[in-house]
Amino acid sequence: DGGITQSPKYLFRKEGQNVTLSCEQNLNHDAMYWYRQDPGQGLRLIYYSQIVNDFQKGDIAEGYSVSREKKESFPLTVTSAQKNPTAFYLCASSREGTGGSRNAEAFFGQGTRLTVV
Amino acid sequence: AQSVTQPDIHITVSEGASLELRCNYSYGATPYLFWYVQSPGQGLQLLLKYFSGDTLVQGIKGFEAEFKRSQSSFNLRKPSVHWSDAAEYFCAVGGFGGFKTIFGAGTRLFVKA
């Protein structure tokens, strides 16, 4: 079955450590996104990528980094510079990220809950 | 500025009763509108979407939504709620490409027996 796989489902990080969240999709989608979800705040865009080897900052990119070396993969690194990293992280993809596309529907992974201990 | 407002943080309805979740948006152009549902600890699943045409949109799980341009609203409805509908619901508005999609803060639905 096609879909988006995020791993791990739960992740614990010590303060000062970098951690990487995995996101893989087999939907052949061009665009991929990372969102952060906090209670009562909806989803906030961290980074997005419309094509391999290219990505753009979203609304809350500080303290995060990404790479897009393969179409299928869009890992997110939460660095020690992120002051409040405890949150639920969602990865999504869509068929096209540009133009007047009707393929703006996003497909989501199951999320990774990151906790700083 | 582009925004999405879901006025109700949480709603409680009895099983079998009708449901309406409110969504108001502010967007400079013709929007793409979406409703997603999220079960606890899970990702988001698309319920329905509106791009153009008929302003009453049918979705999965018996949900529907009506786009009212004059009121800048896209309310979600279901005639008879089931206990399995208990979840958080997100309204979203977007233009070209998913990366410009803006999500509301969500409405948590509780269903009582």
Side-chain angles (χ1 to χ4, degrees):
Chain A
D1 286 340
I4 299 179
T5 301
Q6 290 187 241
S7 61
K9 189 171 178 63
Y10 300 96
L11 186 58
F12 296 89
R13 189 196 92 170
K14 294 183 179 179
E15 288 200 23
Q17 284 184 335
N18 293 352
V19 290
T20 298
L21 284 59
S22 171
C23 178
E24 303 277 334
Q25 55 99 358
N26 60 6
L27 300 167
N28 199 33
H29 285 172
D30 290 313
M32 297 187 73
Y33 320 89
W34 274 104
Y35 291 93
R36 170 178 171 144
Q37 187 177 23
D38 296 282
Q41 296 193 44
L43 277 68
R44 293 183 289 169
L45 183 64
I46 304 172
Y47 268 97
Y48 63 93
S49 169
Q50 298 171 255
I51 196 169
V52 174
N53 292 323
D54 184 60
F55 48 83
Q56 305 296 327
K57 293 181 179 180
D59 300 320
I60 56 165
E62 185 175 354
Y64 300 97
S65 66
V66 294
S67 63
R68 186 85 187 276
E69 297 177 1
K70 299 186 299 182
K71 187 175 185 177
E72 303 79 22
S73 179
F74 192 42
L76 173 74
T77 296
V78 184
T79 75
S80 57
Q82 169 51 235
K83 300 303 181 188
N84 184 23
T86 295
F88 190 54
Y89 290 87
L90 286 162
C91 179
S93 70
S94 64
R95 194 170 303 166
E96 286 188 27
T98 60
S101 171
R102 293 183 172 229
N103 296 317
E105 173 188 344
F107 293 79
F108 284 82
Q110 295 301 295
T112 293
R113 184 164 299 281
L114 172 63
T115 303
V116 174
V117 297
Chain B
Q2 302 161 5
S3 65
V4 178
T5 302
Q6 294 181 246
D8 304 304
I9 297 173
H10 54 79
I11 284 181
T12 301
V13 299
S14 298
E15 191 170 17
S18 63
L19 169 71
E20 183 170 30
L21 301 182
R22 296 183 290 164
C23 173
N24 293 98
Y25 68 89
S26 172
Y27 199 80
T30 300
Y32 297 163
L33 294 160
F34 308 87
W35 274 100
Y36 288 87
V37 61
Q38 184 183 35
S39 297
Q42 301 296 313
L44 276 67
Q45 180 185 21
L46 182 71
L47 284 176
L48 47 79
K49 59 189 176 186
Y50 171 79
F51 289 149
S52 65
D54 193 345
T55 57
L56 184 62
V57 180
Q58 302 297 320
I60 63 172
K61 304 184 181 186
F63 286 92
E64 66 178 27
E66 186 171 12
F67 170 56
K68 293 185 176 180
R69 184 186 300 274
S70 61
Q71 299 177 18
S72 297
S73 69
F74 189 56
N75 293 349
L76 182 72
R77 301 194 294 249
K78 186 170 185 178
S80 177
V81 169
H82 188 263
W83 64 266
S84 61
D85 293 324
E88 187 149 23
Y89 292 81
F90 292 93
C91 180
V93 61
F96 299 135
F99 65 88
K100 293 185 179 179
T101 301
I102 301 168
F103 288 83
T107 297
R108 182 166 294 280
L109 173 65
F110 298 95
V111 180
K112 60 181 181 181

